[in-house]
Amino acid sequence: MSSSNNSSWSVNRTPKIFKVDMDGNLYCHHEIVVVLRMVGPKSVRHGDQFYGCPQWPLSDCKFFMWKQDFDKFFEGH
């Protein structure tokens, strides 16, 4: 008996591209300084912080980055 793996999901392995200025400000794809938000109580990640586009939800550029990932990136630099 043979089996096939027809998975309907895929893993996005594209690296995140972001811009940081000399003062440490992080920018979204609109070239605007991002805002720090917190995950709400209906999520399993309640309380976690993330950066997002300041124009969301009116004109979202889909920029998203967990604060802990951003912090880890700059620990070694």
Side-chain angles (χ1 to χ4, degrees), residues 27-61:
Y27 290 80
C28 72
H29 304 303
H30 288 122
E31 299 289 327
I32 302 171
V33 175
V34 298
V35 294
L36 183 62
R37 295 189 168 100
M38 187 176 295
V39 178
K42 294 182 180 181
S43 172
V44 296
R45 293 197 68 161
H46 172 68
D48 286 354
Q49 295 179 313
F50 64 93
Y51 294 105
C53 178
Q55 295 185 2
W56 179 85
L58 301 176
S59 175
D60 187 13
C61 67

Side-chain angles (χ1 to χ4, degrees), residues 16-28:
K16 292 184 187 238
I17 298 174
F18 56 92
K19 176 181 170 184
V20 180
D21 66 16
M22 296 299 286
D23 294 325
N25 295 312
L26 178 62
Y27 290 80
C28 72

